[in-house]
Amino acid sequence: MRVVAGERKGMPLKAITGTTTRPTTDKVKESIFNIIGPFFDGGIALDLFAGSGGLGIETLSRGASKAIFVEKDGRAFQTLQENIKKCRYEDVSETFKTDATRAIKGLLKREIQLDYLFLDPPYHKSEYYELLNSLVSHSKLSKDAIIVCEHSTEVSLPTNYGSYNLTRQETYGSTIISIYRNEL
């Protein structure tokens, strides 16, 4: 694993050993950013189920001004913190070692609008995609926010979350990337 592009291009990232997480491959990560825009001019990213932080760190490297990382697993969280430090993104990162549901409840209490949302829960936990409805109904996503969901081919996601409509889907083996954008 490495940072694919931007100011930290080529920086190797530490992966998590074991089967508790499923890192996004560099090929899939590169495809995601080719779809949503190769570079950004600021904005806040939320990397929910962050694992080692590859998607959030990539977003920072490509120009996001801040990233919030949520990871419950202890070993993954430690690796996440090491990767953020290695990339020197401590000042623009918030990390939370907690369950995604708790993290979303905390975000709902903050004055914040997210521009990039990465949602990649464990494949057998499809109920976590419902967290998107909370963020949408509480106006926590900016008007131009981009939602990226990584899921198994066995999981079928809805065509929209509020005004954020499914605009593109790509399949990579047993993984589907679903992209949502606001169409209002």
Side-chain angles (χ1 to χ4, degrees):
M1 281 182 25
R2 64 186 171 84
V3 178
V4 176
E7 67 182 5
R8 301 290 190 268
K9 179 180 180 176
M11 176 81 68
L13 298 175
K14 186 175 176 184
I16 304 157
T17 57
T19 59
T20 56
T21 63
R22 191 188 61 260
T24 302
T25 66
D26 287 349
K27 176 186 173 190
V28 172
K29 187 168 34 172
E30 190 167 10
S31 295
I32 288 170
F33 286 94
N34 284 339
I35 294 167
I36 68 173
F39 297 100
F40 310 113
D41 186 20
I44 300 173
L46 172 60
D47 192 350
L48 208 52
F49 307 96
S52 59
L55 291 170
I57 289 170
E58 188 73 33
T59 307
L60 289 169
S61 180
R62 291 170 183 254
S65 53
K66 181 179 184 174
I68 300 167
F69 299 87
V70 177
E71 178 54 54
K72 182 173 89 170
D73 181 81
R75 286 187 332 168
F77 187 77
Q78 182 178 347
T79 302
L80 165 66
Q81 290 184 307
E82 290 171 17
N83 284 335
I84 290 170
K85 184 175 183 176
K86 182 176 189 176
C87 293
R88 299 181 308 280
Y89 283 139
E90 302 97 327
D91 292 346
V92 292
S93 298
E94 290 181 34
T95 58
F96 296 95
K97 184 181 180 288
T98 188
D99 175 75
T101 304
R102 270 195 152 135
I104 295 298
K105 285 180 182 175
L107 280 173
L108 295 180
K109 296 175 184 175
R110 293 175 61 180
E111 291 295 321
I112 193 168
Q113 285 228 302
L114 304 168
D115 301 290
Y116 317 102
L117 174 58
F118 299 96
L119 190 66
D120 183 14
Y123 278 176
H124 62 283
K125 300 279 189 179
S126 60
E127 67 272 11
Y128 280 118
Y129 293 104
E130 292 304 313
L131 294 172
L132 284 170
N133 288 321
S134 292
L135 292 169
V136 170
S137 66
H138 286 85
S139 301
K140 294 301 174 185
L141 298 174
S142 70
K143 177 179 66 74
D144 297 322
I146 301 168
I147 302 168
V148 178
C149 298
E150 190 172 333
H151 55 97
S152 162
T153 52
E154 298 166 11
V155 172
S156 181
L157 296 181
T159 56
N160 68 297
Y161 289 98
S163 62
Y164 298 85
N165 294 311
L166 179 64
T167 58
R168 188 155 172 190
Q169 270 190 332
E170 297 291 333
T171 304
Y172 303 92
S174 62
T175 299
I176 296 179
I177 302 298
S178 296
I179 311 282
Y180 292 83
R181 293 178 189 254
N182 192 344
E183 303 240 319
L184 287 182

